[in-house]
Amino acid sequence: MNRDSLRRLPPEVMGPDYPRDAVTAGIAHIGVGAFHRAHLAVYVERCLSDADQRDWGVLGISLLARDAGFAKDLKAQDRLYSLTELAADGGRVTRVIGAIVEYVYAPDDPARLIERLSDPAIRIVSLTITEGGYVPDPESVAHDLAHPAAPKTAFGFIVAALALRRATGVPPFAVMSCDNLRHNGEQARRACVAHATARSPELASWIADNVDFPNAMVDRITPAMSADRRTRLNTLNGLDDLVPVACEEFIQWVLEDRFRHGRPKWERHGVQMVADVAPYEEAKIRLLNGAHQMISYPAWLAGHRQVDAALADPLFRRYLKCFLEEDAGVWVNSLPGMDLSDYKRQVLERFSNPAISDEIERLCLDGGSKIPAFLKPTLNDCLRTGQDARRLAFLLACFDRCVRIGRDDENNRFPLREPNAMQWIQPMIDGGSPMTLLNTVELVGDEAAADARFVSQYLACVAQLGDRGVRETLRELDLLTVSRQAD
């Protein structure tokens, strides 16, 4: 696939409906992974159909050395890629996305990236760098501070570019997080200001006063692209695409309207622009992301490897319904444009989509960062108010078993994949006690170890998992009952 092949696309594959040569970059996006290409890039693609929006193309940026192969492939395709939306009934819609009009692989030329980020045409710098990217490792931060002209981290580059803009009188860009984090804009702000403070308190003060950090809620299930899935997609679509993306039909973006130097007219194309995104992100993170974590470790230990297969298992489906209704669902309310009764039903339907067949292993990745973000608030609310939290005790017992034991119910060993939270995970391994998890405030909060009923439920789950496995634990410890009707 490349620019020339756009003239020879199969009839069922749509191409860009705008003159791509007329598009210039107004957004620089750090982290050109599958989710970005299925979400923000899609909304930009829609905007580029409007003649007055063609200065909002994307400058794609990869920071990691491991992305060298992807960088080579994307450049070879003139930054084009195919996106296939997969419906549960087997239907699909495929289009070639042209929104990424420039691309920089930062390890090759960090100075060029700082120069591009300082261009006045770039008015937004957006991010998908995962939860761990907002707390870079100390070694990388030390490198950035020692080499400000050749940083490694996202916030090292952002601060370097903002410093150059300040020095040259260029207005700052907005920093827009597209990661699955509560108050993701505020977290980006804290990380950015902290990095700047280490360089110059005056620079940090200028950033705090002049840079917008809108919060956002983003949602679209986008599974990892295996070699086999890539081959099957290309065969179905009649394409030769090195970097295709597959995703579900559902897409949602709720975004705070805080862009004093301009933004695309996203509201024309399905983005819900609001004054405060907090209620929306709270609902989505507690329900969808929380449900992902609740299914992850138990399903993995029980032998499931795909999310849709786990949801086809009546035991796991019932368990997840109970979580949505009884645990997470009681803390959120319906919002304009987001009816929560429908949303909870959609969560189960989306997880059940066999065409997506998302991987349980992906959900288990980096649990030490995800559990605090997606489950700790619900757990603490339940314990603070005296509500029974036995399903959350069960999930934590499954997480403990994955970390400390590293074997599923069939005694198959699997590797630990915790790239961002080993400072909290390693003591669980070294200590050898299941109570280490409950005593780690960073992972579960300060309510868990102090609640006698919860500790008893948790230790009962730990013992039962070791003796009987996940399925019998679900059945025998009353984890599948609700006090009100589930959907």
Side-chain angles (χ1 to χ4, degrees), residues 423-474:
Q423 69 268 36
W424 303 320
I425 301 299
Q426 194 64 50
M428 294 173 59
I429 300 169
D430 295 340
S433 166
M435 281 303 297
T436 303
L437 172 57
L438 293 197
N439 287 313
T440 305
V441 173
E442 294 84 356
L443 292 174
V444 300
D446 55 10
E447 302 275 352
D451 189 296
R453 177 175 66 167
F454 185 76
V455 171
S456 176
Q457 291 171 330
Y458 168 74
L459 292 177
C461 288
V462 169
Q464 187 83 342
L465 286 168
D467 292 342
R468 304 292 297 277
V470 167
R471 301 185 70 85
E472 291 306 311
T473 301
L474 279 170

Side-chain angles (χ1 to χ4, degrees), residues 20 23-29 32 36 57-62 74-75 78-80 98-105 112-113 116-117 119 121-122:
R20 197 161 178 249
V23 176
T24 57
I27 301 169
H29 184 83
V32 191
H36 163 69
V58 175
L59 162 62
I61 301 163
S62 293
L74 189 65
K75 288 178 179 177
D78 298 321
R79 303 165 304 279
L80 296 163
I100 302 174
V101 294
E102 293 184 54
Y103 178 77
V104 176
Y105 175 62
R112 177 171 175 256
L113 177 53
R116 287 296 296 117
L117 292 177
D119 185 335
I122 301 298

Side-chain angles (χ1 to χ4, degrees), residues 47 257 263-273:
C47 285
D257 200 355
R263 62 166 176 80
K265 297 293 184 183
W266 279 313
E267 66 274 19
R268 296 176 183 171
H269 299 283
V271 180
Q272 190 171 355
M273 305 300 301

Side-chain angles (χ1 to χ4, degrees), residues 83-205:
L83 177 78
T84 301
E85 299 173 351
L86 299 167
D89 62 5
R92 71 181 191 280
V93 174
T94 300
R95 55 176 53 85
V96 174
I97 304 295
I100 302 174
V101 294
E102 293 184 54
Y103 178 77
V104 176
Y105 175 62
D108 280 351
D109 195 348
R112 177 171 175 256
L113 177 53
I114 294 173
E115 179 185 2
R116 287 296 296 117
L117 292 177
S118 66
D119 185 335
I122 301 298
R123 287 153 285 168
I124 297 171
V125 173
S126 53
L127 306 163
T128 47
I129 56 175
T130 76
E131 297 85 355
Y134 293 78
V135 188
D137 67 272
E139 184 178 341
S140 295
V141 173
H143 170 90
D144 287 1
L145 296 176
H147 304 89
K152 290 183 177 179
T153 71
F155 293 106
F157 278 105
I158 288 171
V159 169
L162 287 171
L164 183 56
R165 284 181 174 238
R166 176 174 177 248
T168 56
V170 174
F173 45 67
V175 177
M176 182 179 71
S177 173
C178 296
D179 281 295
N180 277 318
L181 296 167
R182 276 183 177 79
H183 316 305
N184 53 14
E186 288 302 310
Q187 295 209 42
R189 181 184 186 277
R190 283 195 293 270
C192 192
V193 170
H195 198 109
T197 299
R199 282 187 53 164
S200 161
E202 293 78 14
L203 173 62
S205 179

Side-chain angles (χ1 to χ4, degrees), residues 16-49:
D17 62 354
Y18 53 87
R20 197 161 178 249
D21 289 341
V23 176
T24 57
I27 301 169
H29 184 83
I30 301 173
V32 191
F35 180 77
H36 163 69
R37 291 182 288 137
H39 193 268
L40 170 58
V42 171
Y43 284 110
V44 172
E45 183 80 0
R46 294 175 180 176
C47 285
L48 295 179
S49 298

